[in-house]
Amino acid sequence: MAIPNLSSRDPEAIPPYRPEETAQSARLARLRRRLPTFLSSPNKPTSPSKCDRFRERLPKFRAPNPPDRPTFKEWLRRCWLDVLTQLLCVLVAFIIYLTASPLMPRYFPLYPGIHTTDWGLKYGQPYVNEYINTTWSAAVSFVFPFLIMSAISGWYFNSFWDGNAACIGLGYALATATLFQSFIKWIIGGLRPHFLSLCNPAIPPAFGGIGQGPNAM
């Protein structure tokens, strides 16, 4: 490897030593150290702010036009059994709720002063109307989750069958829960907390009581 001969270089090509430039460079370096970071290095990329990081985490919604969306006939051909099963579960639960009498008799004590005992205080609560009736409760339990899952699958995941699976699962959950609840009330259900105050059953004749409930109960 050849070593360059520095003595053979043109003396005019070597920059002369200028002490004023060295002092000026030192002053500029001191000024840069005193300036804030965003002023001393304007070309340096800044780190994203909290708002920018939050916007990056937000879902990128797309148009609700999933490529796997079938026609109504095709959807019905694939999912008719699921829909029919859910409707049958709800229908059976509704029939049990309207027509089925308690499967086992319920016995309870009845004598003068029963309302002041522990049992009477437990089942003698005043009757209170429902804040939300059964129809509204069922509608809210299905409609709101259905809309949320449909929006997420249609706008975010852009997949019809993902949303369909979620909604079918929701329908199965609500239908089977309603059916089992009706069976449990029919087989195991007991007296309501307002039983005494609402029915006011008759005290047995041995105690000389007279009932005021329906059918002289």
Side-chain angles (χ1 to χ4, degrees):
M1 180 177 179
I3 300 175
N5 187 6
L6 298 179
S7 60
S8 62
R9 294 181 59 183
D10 187 4
E12 295 182 358
I14 301 175
Y17 174 72
R18 296 178 181 177
E20 63 275 5
E21 291 184 359
T22 305
Q24 185 178 4
S25 300
R27 286 196 297 270
L28 289 176
R30 287 195 297 270
L31 287 175
R32 290 194 187 97
R33 286 194 296 269
R34 294 177 184 176
L35 289 176
T37 306
F38 66 91
L39 292 178
S40 60
S41 56
N43 297 327
K44 184 179 179 180
T46 58
S47 59
S49 62
K50 293 183 178 180
C51 295
D52 295 335
R53 290 195 295 267
F54 178 74
R55 292 192 191 97
E56 291 177 357
R57 294 177 182 176
L58 290 177
K60 306 300 186 295
F61 289 99
R62 294 182 288 268
N65 188 23
D68 58 346
R69 182 175 58 183
T71 61
F72 178 74
K73 290 183 178 180
E74 184 180 356
W75 173 83
L76 191 61
R77 181 173 56 84
R78 293 187 181 186
C79 304
W80 69 269
L81 184 59
D82 297 323
V83 176
L84 181 62
T85 304
Q86 296 173 30
L87 292 177
L88 287 177
C89 289
V90 174
L91 180 62
V92 172
F94 189 67
I95 292 174
I96 293 174
Y97 174 75
L98 291 180
T99 62
S101 300
L103 195 61
M104 295 183 297
R106 272 70 175 176
Y107 299 100
F108 55 92
L110 190 61
Y111 51 86
I114 187 64
H115 293 82
T116 59
T117 62
D118 293 339
W119 189 93
L121 294 175
K122 181 179 180 180
Y123 294 102
Q125 301 293 327
Y127 177 75
V128 179
N129 292 325
E130 296 177 336
Y131 294 105
I132 300 177
N133 57 25
T134 306
T135 305
W136 275 105
S137 176
V140 170
S141 300
F142 179 79
V143 171
F144 280 95
F146 175 80
L147 293 178
I148 292 173
M149 290 187 294
S150 300
I152 292 176
S153 62
W155 273 273
Y156 182 58
F157 292 107
N158 204 23
S159 174
F160 174 84
W161 291 111
D162 287 344
N164 180 75
C167 295
I168 290 293
L170 172 66
Y172 268 119
L174 295 177
T176 53
T178 304
L179 180 61
F180 277 104
Q181 183 182 14
S182 298
F183 271 111
I184 290 172
K185 286 184 177 181
W186 176 40
I187 299 173
I188 312 175
L191 302 175
R192 295 295 181 91
H194 54 262
F195 169 72
L196 285 179
S197 60
L198 184 64
C199 296
N200 195 14
I203 298 176
F207 296 103
I210 300 175
Q212 299 178 1
N215 298 325
M217 291 182 60

